Amino acid sequence: MAETTAPLTAPAPFTLWRREIWATLRLSAPLALTQLAMIGINTTDIVMMGWLGPADLAAGALGMNIFIPLYLFGMGIATVVTPMAAQALGARDFRGVRRTVRQGFWLTLLFAALFSLIIWNGRWLLLLFGQEPEIALRADDYLKAVTWAMLPSLWFVVLRCFATAHSRPRSVLIITLAAVAANAVGNYGLMFGNFGLPRWELMGAGITSSVVSWLMLLAMLVFVLRDRRFKRYAILLRFWRPDWPRFRELFRIGLPIGLTLLAETSLFAGAAFLMGLISTEALAAHAIALQCAAVAFMVPLGISQASMVRVGLAAGSRDQAAVGRAGWSSLLVGTLFMTASALVFWFAGRQLVGLFLDLDLPANAPVVELAVAFLVIAALFQLVDGAQVIGVSALRGLKDTKVPMWLAMTGYWGVGFTTSVVLAFPLGLGGEGVWFGLAVGLAFVALAAVWRFHRRGRLLPNGGLPAA
């Protein structure tokens, strides 16, 4: 009697969705924690600058407002390594992964050189925009020192994207957590002259940032070169060998990502400018509410990075159904978290403001009331804020970056900022009008990005998958 072999059956749809959601959660958790650690480094810098005094805090903040937008622009460009490496992995093109990382180093070297030149001369930029000469001079101490942090910071992002594309972000988290501690110790020593070190104040903060950035890069590079799974790529092999088609593709896809991040960052900077036109209390309340929203945003930002990887892997393997599961699973996970954060903002806004200001001090009452009102509005846009960053990142996983860039610019500035101005001034809603405008802009981008992902089969070539 002949043996019969039972046909292999595909996993049930519920099983496939459960696996995808679990894979998204496992990848998102360390990525979100890494983002929280990164914001912890900036927060440490700001707090210790405040210990030096108001003038140093103002100068340091101005310096950071030059460095951070340029870094975020460069980070956005470097982020393209994630979807390109993920798609190469999905297609089992391991040589393509190495070439992508190598050309990612090349591309970020180019932008780091340009950005470093701007930061080095940041004092003159501050004077050009009417800042006080004394404050600009203090900021110059910080800017000259932190200039040397740009290149290692961007190269670290390239290696971070390489590890993330392999769904192995834990090493990045460990290095970043160590960097938070090293940055705090370095600042305490070099800014205030502790541990027998010279007191260099703002320059000490800049030197610490540069040293820690180089140490992070070195630690990540050693890990990648020695790890059993990563060292087979030999990412530094023939480092100076050009791959111009891949370089151009990285530039073509990465530049819109950088511009999108710049547009979003500048939107909130513009909102702060509008608050300054309203009142000092509105500006202070805006800073508090925005910091709360920024911390909550780190989680969907981590989920969005996971979405980019999962969508890229599915696209590389030419699995249309898996592309859909990856994108929608990330949106589901992000929506659940942002619903929770919205409830916290709505019901515990006053307690959150109490972390920044003494609620019992009568002089703080106007700022407290405004901040609580802003957090109520922030609760309303938590869902769309998470959806827009995850939706745009899912599209990046398909190497679709140019149209999402225009959608984001239109939503952030054409819709969001314009609505903020109209509601705040002609309609007299003041600071609350600014925040309602931000919510409207974010909602526009969220709806447009999610709709584009839903229609990916019609809008992108070959059903949204890369050409063979």
Side-chain angles (χ1 to χ4, degrees):
M1 183 175 178
E3 289 187 8
T4 59
T5 303
L8 295 175
T9 57
F14 174 79
T15 301
L16 292 174
W17 278 97
R18 185 185 62 193
R19 289 176 181 173
E20 184 59 46
I21 291 172
W22 178 242
T24 300
L25 286 170
R26 283 192 305 170
L27 182 55
S28 298
L31 289 172
L33 290 172
T34 300
Q35 293 301 140
L36 289 169
M38 291 299 295
I39 203 172
I41 292 177
N42 292 336
T43 302
T44 301
D45 286 343
I46 292 172
V47 168
M48 290 192 170
M49 287 175 183
W51 294 353
L52 292 172
D56 289 293
L57 175 59
L62 285 174
M64 293 178 72
N65 281 334
I66 291 177
F67 180 88
I68 290 177
L70 292 174
Y71 164 71
L72 291 175
F73 187 9
M75 185 186 75
I77 294 170
T79 300
V80 74
V81 170
T82 299
M84 287 189 62
Q87 288 200 11
L89 281 171
R92 303 195 67 77
D93 177 15
F94 301 116
R95 182 180 296 178
V97 175
R98 180 175 68 241
R99 290 180 175 178
T100 295
V101 174
R102 185 172 70 217
Q103 296 308 302
F105 282 136
W106 279 39
L107 185 61
T108 48
L109 174 62
L110 174 66
F111 279 94
L114 174 62
F115 295 161
S116 294
L117 185 63
I118 296 172
I119 296 166
W120 186 266
N121 294 283
R123 173 190 175 189
W124 307 109
L125 192 62
L126 293 175
L127 292 173
L128 180 66
F129 282 93
Q131 299 299 321
E132 296 180 13
E134 182 183 349
I135 296 295
L137 185 61
R138 287 174 183 259
D140 190 60
D141 291 338
Y142 173 77
L143 289 167
K144 287 288 196 298
V146 82
T147 297
W148 304 101
M150 181 58 72
L151 178 61
S153 296
L154 294 184
W155 276 7
F156 178 80
V157 173
V158 172
L159 292 176
R160 184 180 77 183
C161 292
F162 169 63
T164 302
H166 288 79
S167 301
R168 295 186 62 193
R170 187 175 300 174
S171 57
V172 181
L173 173 60
I174 293 171
I175 291 171
T176 306
L177 289 174
V180 174
N183 186 71
V185 173
N187 278 352
Y188 189 68
L190 288 176
M191 291 177 69
F192 303 99
N194 294 308
F195 312 126
L197 297 173
R199 180 185 174 96
W200 283 339
E201 299 187 346
L202 289 181
M203 185 173 69
I207 291 174
T208 298
S209 295
S210 294
V211 171
V212 169
S213 297
W214 280 104
L215 290 175
M216 290 174 69
L217 172 62
L218 180 62
M220 194 67 200
L221 187 60
V222 168
F223 171 75
V224 167
L225 293 178
R226 300 189 62 173
D227 180 78
R228 181 178 58 83
R229 185 175 175 185
F230 287 150
K231 67 181 181 181
R232 61 180 176 174
Y233 288 99
I235 60 171
L236 298 183
L237 182 67
R238 294 189 288 274
F239 182 82
W240 297 110
R241 183 177 179 179
D243 185 346
W244 296 119
R246 195 173 300 267
F247 181 91
R248 286 191 292 270
E249 186 178 13
L250 281 164
F251 181 84
R252 177 180 62 83
I253 301 173
L255 185 61
I257 299 177
L259 291 173
T260 301
L261 279 176
L262 187 63
E264 185 174 7
T265 304
S266 61
L267 170 66
F268 288 98
F273 171 76
L274 294 180
M275 289 294 184
L277 296 178
I278 295 170
S279 69
T280 301
E281 291 80 8
L283 181 58
H286 172 77
I288 293 171
L290 187 59
Q291 187 64 24
C292 294
V295 171
F297 181 71
M298 292 301 104
V299 175
L301 183 59
I303 297 170
S304 74
Q305 293 168 354
S307 174
M308 187 161 39
V309 173
R310 299 298 302 170
V311 170
L313 288 170
S317 62
R318 306 188 63 77
D319 188 339
Q320 177 71 289
V323 169
R325 285 194 299 271
W328 295 120
S329 294
S330 298
L331 282 165
L332 173 62
V333 173
T335 299
L336 290 174
F337 174 81
M338 294 307 267
T339 300
S341 66
L343 292 174
V344 172
F345 284 3
W346 187 279
F347 291 106
R350 194 171 187 85
Q351 287 75 14
L352 290 175
V353 176
L355 298 175
F356 297 85
L357 294 174
D358 185 347
L359 300 179
D360 297 323
L361 194 63
N364 291 339
V367 177
V368 170
E369 295 307 316
L370 281 173
V372 171
F374 295 164
L375 283 175
V376 169
I377 302 171
L380 298 177
F381 77 58
Q382 286 296 287
L383 297 180
V384 293
D385 199 14
Q388 62 94 17
V389 71
I390 295 171
V392 169
S393 290
L395 293 172
R396 289 171 186 165
L398 297 170
K399 299 184 182 178
D400 179 30
T401 60
K402 187 175 293 184
V403 172
M405 175 192 72
W406 290 114
L407 292 175
M409 287 185 171
T410 301
Y412 296 148
W413 283 95
V415 177
F417 191 76
T418 302
T419 303
S420 291
V421 172
V422 172
L423 291 177
F425 299 104
L427 297 183
L429 294 181
E432 293 182 53
V434 173
W435 275 74
F436 276 122
L438 295 176
V440 170
L442 292 169
F444 176 92
V445 179
L447 290 173
V450 172
W451 179 251
R452 184 169 177 82
F453 183 77
H454 172 66
R455 305 269 293 184
R456 64 195 178 279
R458 299 183 183 183
L459 292 172
L460 301 175
N462 299 316
L465 299 181

